[in-house]
Amino acid sequence: MSRIKLTLPETFSFTAIIPIRITDINYGNHVGNDAVLSIIHEARMQFFIKHQFTELNCGGVGLMMTDAAIEFKKEMFYGDVAEVKVAATNFTSVGFDIFYRLEKVEAEKRITVALAKTGMVCYDYDRKKITYMPQQVKEALSQK
C-alpha cells in the first residue's frame, strides 16, 4: 500500500501556536484526523491575517482549497500545544501550495506530529471562476 510522502520546504516564514482543545480529541483519546485539518485551517488563517489577507479577500480575490494531504507522525493529546510552521510555495499564475509542519514540545524535545499541504487557487466567488493571483499576494506570501 502506497503512502503519502510530503517534501516540505527548508524554511517556514510563520508559526501559529494552537492549544489542543477537548473538542479536538476523538474516541481514541488523541487528536482526530479531522481536527488536524481544522488546526491547519486555523494556522492558515493566522498566516493570512499576518499579511492582512483573508480567504475571501486575498489581495482582491478569494481563495479556495483544492486539495489537502496530511502525513500523521505522532499522537497529540488534550493539553498539548501545536506549533504549526507555515510556508507558501509553488506559485503559479492562479494558485500556490501551503505547507505545514505541526510540532509539539515534550520533555524539552521538539517532536513532529504531522506534515501537511493544502493547494490553494485564486477564485472569483461572484463569477464562480478561477482567477489570476495578484502580484502583491505572491510577493507577500513568499517572504522568508
Side-chain angles (χ1 to χ4, degrees):
M1 176 189 292
S2 65
R3 299 279 185 235
I4 292 173
K5 281 290 190 199
L6 295 172
T7 303
L8 274 62
E10 290 184 23
T11 60
F12 290 84
S13 61
F14 180 76
T15 301
I17 307 299
I18 303 174
I20 301 304
R21 308 163 305 166
I22 195 65
T23 55
D24 296 325
I25 304 303
N26 67 11
Y27 56 84
N29 203 32
H30 56 227
V31 171
N33 55 7
D34 58 326
V36 173
L37 193 57
S38 292
I39 289 165
I40 65 173
H41 186 186
E42 176 64 28
R44 184 172 62 251
M45 294 305 298
Q46 290 182 26
F47 176 65
F48 288 150
I49 288 168
K50 172 192 172 207
H51 296 290
Q52 300 178 343
F53 297 141
T54 67
E55 288 186 341
L56 292 178
N57 185 359
C58 192
V61 300
L63 292 174
M64 181 181 288
M65 184 170 61
T66 57
D67 59 57
I70 302 171
E71 249 186 273
F72 299 97
K73 301 288 190 183
K74 298 282 183 187
E75 294 174 301
M76 284 189 294
F77 302 97
Y78 179 69
D80 285 342
V81 176
E83 294 183 19
V84 186
K85 298 183 182 325
V86 182
T89 65
N90 302 332
F91 290 91
T92 69
S93 61
V94 297
F96 53 94
D97 291 329
I98 301 180
F99 287 90
Y100 313 81
R101 178 186 300 277
L102 287 77
E103 300 176 327
K104 67 178 181 177
V105 176
E106 190 175 275
E108 298 182 31
K109 184 177 178 185
R110 186 167 302 281
I111 299 167
T112 298
V113 294
L115 308 175
K117 180 201 87 73
T118 53
M120 306 300 293
V121 68
C122 296
Y123 193 75
D124 182 327
Y125 280 92
D126 292 331
R127 292 178 34 229
K128 305 291 186 212
K129 289 186 171 189
I130 293 173
T131 189
Y132 288 102
M133 178 175 18
Q135 184 63 27
Q136 75 180 60
V137 172
K138 180 178 179 179
E139 290 171 5
L141 298 183
S142 62
Q143 293 175 357
K144 299 289 184 226

